[in-house]
């Protein structure tokens, strides 16, 4: 494929066949993104000449965790080996080309500008190392948020060792500086999904009135809680499901690991089968009126277990801080 519109047509042709299968859908996303990068590299080389040094392109957010729905926005960065003004300009131009290519292929721009077209997320290996140190040392809310976004990074193109080297250093710093409580404060704010009378708390106004925000109320407690346990356990997997599998008995007892794994997988499947994922925003909402009584109870069970996981992680971190 030589153009982004060809890749978009390929996406539209293929996605219908995998839209109900979480694993196959995310494999398709990986393939589409890799095709976009290949075309972008070719276009950039035609304009600016051959690549000046090795690099890696990595995905973050739901793509980094292998947890995308049918539609997804962009969260990505670039790490390249050498630095210098011309090299920096080259890879920033490549980052902009990839970002535009992904948009044409069906991926919305990131509202927070976490994209390789932004110099903050497109740097040499040594510049990335310094930036990560700065985020850790400052350890303010924004710095910790950026660290957590980076930790979910997964290389899709180029030399993956660049990303892995930096991740090892980030994990070591979090342990050495004992930043776990700051990570907890940054991510584990819980939005309630169930009211005091046992009712599902849906949106009460706007275009999603009557729908449950499953991203904030259901997904986040699992994603954020398991990520924090993975950092504690020095686990470098990015998928929530793989992180769960790798956790030790000390971090989370096996009976709980299996329960949360089943609940999270059910949640991912509900998002594909019960929501109306006709665009990126809609894929985050579950219209409650369309659910059967059994499905509503299953959703409540997922929410309750997410809350229990949140409390477990919070208590674990706070107990160690005492």
């Amino acid at each position: 494929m030589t153009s982004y519109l060809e890749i978009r047509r390929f996406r539209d042709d293929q996605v219908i066949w995998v839209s109900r299968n979480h694993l196959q859908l995310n494999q398709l996303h990986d393939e589409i993104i890799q095709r976009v990068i290949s075309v972008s590299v070719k276009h950039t080389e035609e304009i600016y000449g051959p690549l000046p040094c090795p690099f890696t392109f990595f995905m973050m957010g739901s793509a980094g965790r292998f947890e995308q729905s049918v539609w997804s926005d962009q969260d990505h960065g670039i790490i390249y080996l050498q630095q210098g003004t011309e090299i920096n300009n080259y890879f920033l131009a490549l980052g902009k080309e990839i970002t535009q290519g992904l948009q044409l292929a069906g991926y919305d721009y990131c509202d927070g500008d976490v994209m390789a077209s932004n110099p903050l997320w497109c740097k040499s290996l040594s510049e990335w190392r310094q930036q990560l140190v700065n985020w850790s040392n400052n350890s303010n809310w924004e710095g910790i948020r950026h660290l957590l976004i980076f930790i979910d990074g997964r290389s899709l193109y180029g030399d993956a060792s660049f990303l892995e080297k930096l991740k090892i250093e980030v994990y070591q710093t979090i342990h050495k500086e004992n930043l776990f409580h700051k990570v907890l404060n940054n991510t584990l704010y819980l939005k309630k999904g169930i009211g005091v009378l046992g009712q599902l708390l849906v949106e009460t106004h706007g275009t999603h009135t009557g729908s449950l925000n499953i991203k904030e109320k259901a997904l986040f407690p699992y994603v954020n809680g398991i990520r924090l346990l993975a950092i504690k356990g020095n686990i470098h997997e990015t998928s929530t499901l793989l992180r769960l599998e790798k956790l030790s008995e000390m971090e989370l007892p096996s009976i709980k690991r299996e329960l949360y794994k089943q609940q999270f997988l059910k949640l991912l499947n509900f998002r594909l089968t019960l929501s109306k994922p006709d665009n990126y925003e809609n894929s985050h909402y579950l219209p409650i009126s369309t659910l059967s009584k059994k499905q509503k109870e299953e959703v409540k069970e997922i929410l309750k277990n997410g809350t229990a996981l949140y409390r477990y992680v919070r208590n674990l971190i706070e107990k160690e801080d005492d």
Side-chain angles (χ1 to χ4, degrees), residues 24-202:
Q24 292 177 357
L25 173 62
N26 278 269
Q27 288 172 337
L28 177 63
H29 279 305
D30 276 7
E31 182 178 352
I32 293 164
I33 294 166
Q34 286 164 342
R35 290 186 182 205
V36 167
I37 300 166
S38 295
V39 172
S40 296
V41 169
K42 185 178 178 183
H43 286 181
T44 304
E45 287 185 321
E46 288 171 354
I47 299 170
Y48 299 101
L51 289 164
C53 63
F55 79 102
T56 191
F57 181 90
F58 62 101
M59 302 298 299
M60 294 170 282
S62 60
R65 295 190 305 273
F66 204 71
E67 291 164 5
Q68 294 179 97
S69 185
V70 173
W71 295 99
S72 180
D73 69 346
Q74 300 185 40
D75 294 277
H76 48 73
I78 286 177
I79 306 166
Y80 46 92
L81 185 58
Q82 297 166 326
Q83 69 181 82
T85 303
E86 289 187 10
I87 296 175
N88 294 353
N89 290 339
Y90 186 101
F91 282 104
L92 193 57
L94 175 60
K96 290 177 180 177
E97 179 70 29
I98 294 172
T99 301
Q100 291 168 0
L102 286 171
Q103 196 274 333
L104 290 171
Y107 297 87
D108 288 355
Y109 292 126
C110 173
D111 287 341
D113 204 18
V114 181
M115 298 181 289
S117 54
N118 179 353
L120 190 71
W121 300 97
C122 181
K123 293 183 180 296
S124 70
L125 185 59
S126 60
E127 289 169 329
W128 260 112
R129 182 170 284 119
Q130 186 58 54
Q131 176 163 269
L132 292 167
V133 168
N134 292 342
W135 288 344
S136 302
N137 287 345
N138 293 338
S139 63
N140 55 20
W141 192 90
E142 185 178 50
I144 295 294
R145 183 174 69 88
H146 285 151
L147 279 180
L148 294 175
I149 292 170
F150 181 83
I151 282 171
D152 281 351
R154 179 172 63 95
S155 289
L156 273 190
Y157 191 99
D159 193 334
S161 70
F162 299 162
L163 179 63
E164 288 310 310
K165 286 175 185 174
L166 293 175
K167 272 197 188 182
I168 289 169
E169 293 169 15
V170 169
Y171 274 58
Q172 289 172 341
T173 300
I174 292 174
H175 281 263
K176 183 180 177 183
E177 303 300 327
N178 195 22
L179 299 177
F180 292 105
H181 198 78
K182 290 187 176 180
V183 171
L184 179 76
N185 290 339
N186 192 281
T187 59
L188 285 182
Y189 173 71
L190 189 66
K191 281 199 172 183
K192 289 185 178 179
I194 303 175
V196 290
L197 301 177
Q199 78 279 25
L200 289 166
L201 297 177
V202 298

Side-chain angles (χ1 to χ4, degrees), residues 247-292:
L247 288 173
S248 70
E249 199 74 14
M250 188 180 298
E251 272 98 41
L252 191 65
S254 56
I255 190 167
K256 290 293 185 183
R257 289 202 304 274
E258 189 57 36
L259 171 65
Y260 294 140
K261 183 180 174 183
Q262 290 175 0
Q263 293 287 283
F264 189 70
L265 191 55
K266 185 181 286 187
L267 175 58
L268 293 176
N269 288 327
F270 272 1
R271 187 178 61 174
L272 293 180
T273 58
L274 301 179
S275 67
K276 295 178 180 176
D278 50 351
N279 62 48
Y280 174 61
E281 186 182 358
N282 287 349
S283 65
H284 299 151
Y285 291 88
L286 206 59
I288 297 304
S289 62
T290 64
L291 305 187
S292 67

Side-chain angles (χ1 to χ4, degrees), residues 219-238:
L219 280 164
F220 278 0
Y222 289 92
V223 168
N224 294 335
I226 297 303
R227 183 201 292 115
L228 185 46
L229 292 178
I231 296 170
K232 274 185 62 62
N234 211 29
I235 294 163
H236 288 218
E237 302 287 353
T238 57

